Amino acid sequence: MGKEILISVKDISKEYKMGEVKVKALKNATFDIYKGEFVVILGPSGSGKSTLLNIIGGMDTPTKGKVFINNNEITAFEEKKLTLYRRNEIGFVFQFYNLMSNLTAIENIELATEICKDSLNIENILKDVGLYDRKAHFPSQMSGGEQQRVAIARAVAKNPLLLLCDEPTGALDYETGVSILSLLNNINKKYNKTVVIITHNSAIGNIADRVLHMRSGEIIDTEINENPTDPERIEW
Ligand code: ADP
Ligand code: MG
């Protein structure tokens, strides 16, 4: 497999100022993510995972350092270009789904895709996530796991370069969490989509091609799984 770099993070630091107090959320993070890779970024709460994901996704900016996607420096984009980057190239999956409660499953997906340049067929994606027969249901009529499937369908249907998932199983019970990880794994394989999952749950690292370990704002270790574990076979 020829490894083509999709994202290159170069010496990123992020400092938040809260009045007199400075918080160093990221310290000199440097790493690459390859096209089609399934990556888990693992670290305890407060280690800087969400900050890092938000910077990669163009939702936050670093204090120092650069981020490249396909050799384009997103940290140099002006606002308009950054908006298009977020809209067309990034699919985001959140811990608490972030669905519009007044829209049905299919309408939530349509809302996200109608402004994208290159979206996929929504009905096919709904079938992929196993919710075709629930497409007319509102979030309140679905379980947490089903809502997360809608959120994943919404992110994938945009046909982004990159799927960024912030604690996607954090609000789910074990079995539902495993099924969501299986779905993300299947989407990575079926669509050859690059997937980055951040989590504090070390068991989830076993399903990744590569695990980046974070502590106190630093990438302290990189681990390659030659044989990633099937999500159905991990336990926590
Ligand atoms: P994680 O996702 O690993 O739990 P975060 O990236 O959310 O970690 O946070 C890393 C550190 O940065 C924490 O100390 C957190 O309190 C701080 N932090 C995150 N966002 C902000 C913010 N908007 N303002 C101030 N401090 C922040
Ligand atoms: Mg977080």
Side-chain angles (χ1 to χ4, degrees):
M1 188 176 77
K3 281 188 171 182
E4 230 183 303
I5 293 173
L6 178 65
I7 306 160
S8 203
V9 172
K10 298 215 185 282
D11 204 23
I12 287 284
S13 294
K14 176 73 182 183
E15 201 172 272
Y16 291 108
K17 286 198 188 69
M18 305 283 285
E20 294 294 294
V21 184
K22 284 182 190 169
V23 178
K24 286 195 168 172
L26 289 176
K27 299 172 199 164
N28 310 100
T30 296
F31 59 91
D32 295 329
I33 289 175
Y34 301 101
K35 282 185 187 156
E37 210 179 12
F38 194 60
V39 175
V40 166
I41 299 176
L42 185 63
S45 175
S47 59
K49 306 182 297 296
S50 295
T51 302
L52 181 58
L53 212 68
N54 291 339
I55 289 172
I56 293 172
M59 295 191 294
D60 200 353
T61 51
T63 313
K64 182 177 121 308
K66 296 177 179 180
V67 178
F68 296 84
I69 185 146
N70 278 336
N71 297 316
N72 297 306
E73 191 196 338
I74 64 160
T75 39
F77 283 177
E78 81 278 18
E79 200 49 51
K80 177 86 171 95
K81 240 178 143 180
L82 204 56
T83 301
L84 291 174
Y85 168 69
R86 281 193 298 263
R87 184 182 296 168
N88 292 314
E89 315 300 2
I90 300 296
F92 227 106
V93 176
F94 301 94
Q95 180 173 358
F96 296 107
Y97 334 126
N98 291 20
L99 299 175
M100 304 285 287
S101 58
N102 58 337
L103 299 180
T104 62
I106 195 162
E107 287 167 351
N108 263 282
I109 302 168
E110 283 165 351
L111 181 69
T113 54
E114 65 197 9
I115 55 171
C116 290
K117 64 173 162 58
D118 194 21
S119 53
L120 302 174
N121 181 287
I122 295 176
E123 307 229 320
N124 287 343
I125 304 288
L126 276 164
K127 285 175 192 158
D128 283 334
V129 303
L131 282 181
Y132 186 70
D133 55 341
R134 307 293 300 271
K135 65 181 177 180
H137 288 197
F138 290 96
S140 62
Q141 298 170 316
M142 290 182 277
S143 68
E146 287 161 349
Q147 290 181 64
Q148 193 61 301
R149 285 174 186 275
V150 175
I152 291 169
R154 175 179 60 183
V156 174
K158 294 172 61 175
N159 198 15
L161 277 175
L162 183 59
L163 219 55
L164 300 176
C165 312
D166 190 340
E167 303 273 4
T169 64
L172 303 173
D173 61 81
Y174 164 73
E175 267 180 48
T176 311
V178 162
S179 77
I180 289 296
L181 294 171
S182 270
L183 174 60
L184 289 169
N185 192 239
N186 291 341
I187 282 166
N188 167 253
K189 304 294 176 288
K190 175 170 179 180
Y191 292 96
N192 195 33
K193 278 272 168 260
T194 309
V195 175
V196 180
I197 296 174
I198 63 176
T199 180
H200 64 276
N201 182 343
S202 57
I204 295 176
N206 296 314
I207 71 173
D209 296 324
R210 204 151 51 98
V211 186
L212 305 179
H213 293 266
M214 283 192 81
R215 190 136 320 195
S216 307
E218 288 181 273
I219 308 281
I220 53 164
D221 192 21
T222 301
E223 184 188 348
I224 295 170
N225 287 329
E226 295 296 347
N227 295 299
T229 308
D230 187 317
E232 303 287 348
R233 297 186 50 218
I234 61 167
E235 281 178 38
W236 67 78

